[in-house]
Protein backbone atom coordinates (compact mmCIF):
# COMPACT_ATOMS: atom_id res chain seq x y z
CA UNK A 1 0.00 0.00 0.00
CA UNK A 2 1.49 3.40 -1.07
CA UNK A 3 0.83 7.08 -0.80
CA UNK A 4 1.41 9.69 -3.55
CA UNK A 5 1.94 13.41 -2.93
CA UNK A 6 2.50 16.12 -5.55
CA UNK A 7 3.61 19.75 -5.45
CA UNK A 8 3.83 22.38 -8.21
CA UNK A 9 7.06 24.38 -8.00
CA UNK A 10 7.14 27.60 -10.11
CA UNK A 11 10.41 28.38 -11.96
CA UNK A 12 10.01 31.92 -13.38
CA UNK A 13 13.63 32.16 -14.45
CA UNK A 14 13.23 29.52 -17.13
CA UNK A 15 9.56 30.20 -17.89
CA UNK A 16 8.17 26.84 -16.80
CA UNK A 17 6.93 25.07 -13.70
CA UNK A 18 7.92 21.68 -12.32
CA UNK A 19 5.58 19.07 -10.82
CA UNK A 20 7.30 17.12 -8.08
CA UNK A 21 5.71 13.75 -7.29
CA UNK A 22 6.67 11.77 -4.19
CA UNK A 23 5.61 8.19 -3.31
CA UNK A 24 6.03 6.31 -0.04
CA UNK A 25 5.32 2.76 1.15
CA UNK A 26 3.00 2.89 4.16
CA UNK A 27 3.88 -0.67 5.19
CA UNK A 28 7.20 0.65 6.43
CA UNK A 29 5.36 3.05 8.73
CA UNK A 30 3.71 0.25 10.69
CA UNK A 31 6.95 -1.17 12.02
CA UNK A 32 7.43 1.45 14.72
CA UNK A 33 3.81 0.91 15.77
CA UNK A 34 4.39 -2.83 16.09
CA UNK A 35 7.59 -2.21 17.99
CA UNK A 36 5.79 0.14 20.38
CA UNK A 37 2.98 -2.37 20.89
CA UNK A 38 5.48 -5.13 21.67
CA UNK A 39 7.33 -2.88 24.11
CA UNK A 40 4.08 -2.05 25.91
CA UNK A 41 3.20 -5.75 26.19
CA UNK A 42 6.64 -6.54 27.61
CA UNK A 43 6.33 -3.67 30.09
CA UNK A 44 2.89 -4.85 31.19
CA UNK A 45 4.16 -8.41 31.65
CA UNK A 46 7.12 -7.12 33.66
CA UNK A 47 4.85 -5.04 35.90
CA UNK A 48 2.64 -8.08 36.52
CA UNK A 49 5.72 -10.11 37.41
CA UNK A 50 6.96 -7.43 39.83
CA UNK A 51 3.51 -7.21 41.43
CA UNK A 52 3.48 -10.99 41.85
CA UNK A 53 6.91 -10.89 43.49
CA UNK A 54 5.81 -8.10 45.85
CA UNK A 55 2.64 -9.82 47.05
CA UNK A 56 3.46 -13.56 46.87
CA UNK A 57 5.84 -15.88 48.69
CA UNK A 58 8.54 -17.22 46.35
CA UNK A 59 8.54 -20.75 47.78
CA UNK A 60 4.84 -21.56 48.11
CA UNK A 61 3.34 -18.93 45.77
CA UNK A 62 0.83 -18.08 48.48
CA UNK A 63 0.22 -14.49 49.46
CA UNK A 64 3.07 -13.19 51.61
CA UNK A 65 3.05 -11.37 54.93
CA UNK A 66 3.42 -7.96 53.32
CA UNK A 67 0.25 -8.45 51.29
CA UNK A 68 -1.53 -9.96 54.28
CA UNK A 69 -0.80 -7.00 56.56
CA UNK A 70 -2.29 -4.46 54.16
CA UNK A 71 -5.19 -6.65 52.97
CA UNK A 72 -6.18 -7.82 56.45
CA UNK A 73 -6.39 -4.31 57.88
CA UNK A 74 -8.87 -3.30 55.17
CA UNK A 75 -10.84 -6.52 55.56
CA UNK A 76 -11.21 -6.14 59.33
CA UNK A 77 -12.36 -2.54 58.88
CA UNK A 78 -14.96 -3.58 56.31
CA UNK A 79 -16.35 -6.39 58.48
CA UNK A 80 -16.44 -4.13 61.52
CA UNK A 81 -18.38 -1.40 59.71
CA UNK A 82 -20.89 -3.83 58.18
CA UNK A 83 -21.07 -6.15 61.22
CA UNK A 84 -20.04 -9.24 59.27
CA UNK A 85 -18.30 -12.32 60.76
CA UNK A 86 -14.72 -13.12 59.89
CA UNK A 87 -12.66 -16.23 60.63
CA UNK A 88 -8.90 -16.22 61.13
CA UNK A 89 -6.97 -19.49 61.27
CA UNK A 90 -3.35 -19.49 62.46
CA UNK A 91 -1.52 -22.67 61.36
CA UNK A 92 1.79 -24.15 62.46
CA UNK A 93 3.50 -27.30 61.14
CA UNK A 94 3.97 -29.75 64.01
CA UNK A 95 7.59 -30.43 65.01
CA UNK A 96 8.90 -28.77 61.87
CA UNK A 97 12.30 -27.93 63.39
CA UNK A 98 12.79 -31.62 64.18
CA UNK A 99 11.82 -32.49 60.61
CA UNK A 100 14.50 -30.14 59.28
CA UNK A 101 17.06 -31.50 61.74
CA UNK A 102 16.44 -35.06 60.52
CA UNK A 103 15.85 -34.45 56.81
CA UNK A 104 17.57 -31.17 55.95
CA UNK A 105 16.24 -27.77 54.93
CA UNK A 106 15.77 -28.68 51.26
CA UNK A 107 13.38 -31.46 52.28
CA UNK A 108 11.73 -29.01 54.68
CA UNK A 109 11.19 -26.53 51.86
CA UNK A 110 9.58 -29.30 49.81
CA UNK A 111 7.15 -29.94 52.70
CA UNK A 112 6.21 -26.25 52.83
CA UNK A 113 5.62 -26.26 49.07
CA UNK A 114 3.28 -29.26 49.36
CA UNK A 115 1.39 -27.64 52.23
CA UNK A 116 1.12 -24.45 50.20
CA UNK A 117 -0.33 -26.41 47.27
CA UNK A 118 -2.84 -28.09 49.59
CA UNK A 119 -3.87 -24.74 51.06
CA UNK A 120 -4.49 -23.38 47.57
CA UNK A 121 -6.70 -26.34 46.60
CA UNK A 122 -8.50 -26.75 49.95
CA UNK A 123 -9.05 -23.01 50.51
CA UNK A 124 -10.05 -22.16 46.95
CA UNK A 125 -13.20 -20.12 47.64
CA UNK A 126 -13.10 -16.49 46.57
CA UNK A 127 -13.54 -15.46 50.22
CA UNK A 128 -10.51 -17.48 51.41
CA UNK A 129 -7.09 -15.81 51.64
CA UNK A 130 -4.28 -18.33 52.35
CA UNK A 131 -0.99 -16.74 53.41
CA UNK A 132 2.50 -17.91 54.24
CA UNK A 133 3.04 -15.82 57.35
CA UNK A 134 6.67 -16.81 57.86
CA UNK A 135 8.78 -19.94 58.31
CA UNK A 136 6.39 -22.84 58.89
CA UNK A 137 3.50 -20.57 59.90
CA UNK A 138 0.47 -20.02 57.70
CA UNK A 139 -2.69 -17.95 58.08
CA UNK A 140 -6.03 -18.41 56.34
CA UNK A 141 -8.59 -15.61 56.54
CA UNK A 142 -12.10 -16.45 55.43
CA UNK A 143 -15.04 -14.12 55.03
CA UNK A 144 -17.71 -16.75 54.41
CA UNK A 145 -17.84 -18.80 57.64
CA UNK A 146 -20.52 -17.29 59.88
CA UNK A 147 -20.98 -20.28 62.19
CA UNK A 148 -18.27 -21.33 64.63
CA UNK A 149 -18.96 -25.06 64.28
CA UNK A 150 -18.96 -24.88 60.48
CA UNK A 151 -15.72 -22.91 60.53
CA UNK A 152 -14.06 -25.39 62.85
CA UNK A 153 -15.24 -28.27 60.65
CA UNK A 154 -13.91 -26.52 57.55
CA UNK A 155 -10.44 -26.03 59.00
CA UNK A 156 -10.41 -29.46 60.59
CA UNK A 157 -10.95 -30.85 57.09
CA UNK A 158 -7.94 -28.82 55.98
CA UNK A 159 -5.92 -30.40 58.80
CA UNK A 160 -6.98 -33.86 57.60
CA UNK A 161 -6.17 -32.94 53.99
CA UNK A 162 -2.61 -32.08 54.96
CA UNK A 163 -2.18 -35.24 57.02
CA UNK A 164 -3.52 -37.23 54.04
CA UNK A 165 -0.44 -36.15 52.06
CA UNK A 166 1.31 -38.82 54.16
CA UNK A 167 4.69 -37.12 54.28
CA UNK A 168 6.73 -39.31 56.66
CA UNK A 169 7.85 -37.55 59.85
CA UNK A 170 9.82 -39.89 62.08
CA UNK A 171 10.66 -37.13 64.56
CA UNK A 172 7.05 -36.15 65.23
CA UNK A 173 5.64 -36.90 68.64
CA UNK A 174 1.99 -36.79 67.56
CA UNK A 175 1.79 -38.74 64.25
CA UNK A 176 3.77 -40.76 61.74
CA UNK A 177 3.25 -38.09 59.08
CA UNK A 178 3.56 -34.32 58.81
CA UNK A 179 0.59 -32.66 60.55
CA UNK A 180 -0.52 -29.18 61.50
CA UNK A 181 -1.97 -27.50 64.55
CA UNK A 182 -4.43 -24.66 64.08
CA UNK A 183 -5.91 -21.91 66.21
CA UNK A 184 -9.18 -20.44 65.00
CA UNK A 185 -10.91 -17.19 65.81
CA UNK A 186 -14.34 -16.37 64.41
CA UNK A 187 -16.49 -13.36 65.17
CA UNK A 188 -17.64 -9.90 64.17
CA UNK A 189 -14.80 -7.43 64.80
CA UNK A 190 -15.76 -4.76 67.33
CA UNK A 191 -15.50 -1.15 66.29
CA UNK A 192 -11.92 -0.07 66.78
CA UNK A 193 -10.59 -3.66 66.84
CA UNK A 194 -7.45 -3.91 64.74
CA UNK A 195 -6.22 -6.82 62.69
CA UNK A 196 -3.41 -7.63 65.13
CA UNK A 197 -5.93 -8.23 67.92
CA UNK A 198 -7.77 -10.86 65.85
CA UNK A 199 -4.50 -12.48 64.83
CA UNK A 200 -3.39 -12.60 68.47
CA UNK A 201 -6.63 -14.37 69.40
CA UNK A 202 -6.07 -16.99 66.71
CA UNK A 203 -2.45 -17.33 67.90
CA UNK A 204 -3.63 -17.92 71.48
CA UNK A 205 -5.93 -20.68 70.20
CA UNK A 206 -2.95 -22.16 68.32
CA UNK A 207 -0.97 -22.15 71.56
CA UNK A 208 -3.79 -24.10 73.21
CA UNK A 209 -3.85 -26.58 70.27
CA UNK A 210 -0.18 -27.31 70.96
CA UNK A 211 -0.93 -27.57 74.67
CA UNK A 212 -3.59 -30.20 73.90
CA UNK A 213 -1.13 -32.41 72.01
CA UNK A 214 -1.02 -30.85 68.50
CA UNK A 215 -2.58 -32.16 65.28
CA UNK A 216 -5.88 -30.48 66.16
CA UNK A 217 -7.93 -27.32 65.66
CA UNK A 218 -8.86 -25.21 68.70
CA UNK A 219 -11.50 -22.50 68.59
CA UNK A 220 -10.71 -19.30 70.47
CA UNK A 221 -12.83 -18.90 73.61
CA UNK A 222 -11.49 -16.14 75.83
CA UNK A 223 -12.46 -17.48 79.26
CA UNK A 224 -11.19 -21.03 78.66
CA UNK A 225 -7.96 -19.87 77.02
CA UNK A 226 -7.27 -17.41 79.82
CA UNK A 227 -7.50 -20.26 82.35
CA UNK A 228 -5.39 -22.58 80.19
CA UNK A 229 -2.65 -20.00 79.67
CA UNK A 230 -2.60 -19.12 83.35
CA UNK A 231 -2.13 -22.76 84.38
CA UNK A 232 0.57 -23.60 81.83
Amino acid sequence: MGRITAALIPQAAIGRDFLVVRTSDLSTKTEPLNTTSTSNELLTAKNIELEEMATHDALTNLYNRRYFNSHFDRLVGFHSRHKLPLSVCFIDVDYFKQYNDCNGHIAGDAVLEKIGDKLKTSCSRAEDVPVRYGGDEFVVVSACEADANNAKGYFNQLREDIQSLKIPHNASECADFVTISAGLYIGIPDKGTNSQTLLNRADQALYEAKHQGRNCVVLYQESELTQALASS
Side-chain angles (χ1 to χ4, degrees), residues 32 66 75 101 114 116 136 146 169 175 188:
R66 175 184 175 183
L75 193 63
D101 291 343
K114 291 178 181 178
D136 63 319
H169 190 347
I188 299 173

Side-chain angles (χ1 to χ4, degrees), residues 88 90 152 182-186 197-212 216-232:
V88 184
F90 209 139
K152 188 174 180 180
L184 175 62
Y185 167 80
I186 179 169
T197 298
L198 302 189
L199 192 62
N200 287 342
R201 291 172 181 172
D203 192 30
Q204 289 177 34
L206 172 60
Y207 181 93
E208 178 61 15
K210 293 179 180 180
H211 183 75
Q212 292 183 13
C216 62
V217 178
V218 168
L219 181 66
Y220 175 86
Q221 295 178 347
E222 188 167 2
S223 59
E224 293 180 11
L225 282 173
T226 301
Q227 294 173 6
L229 292 171
S231 62
S232 62

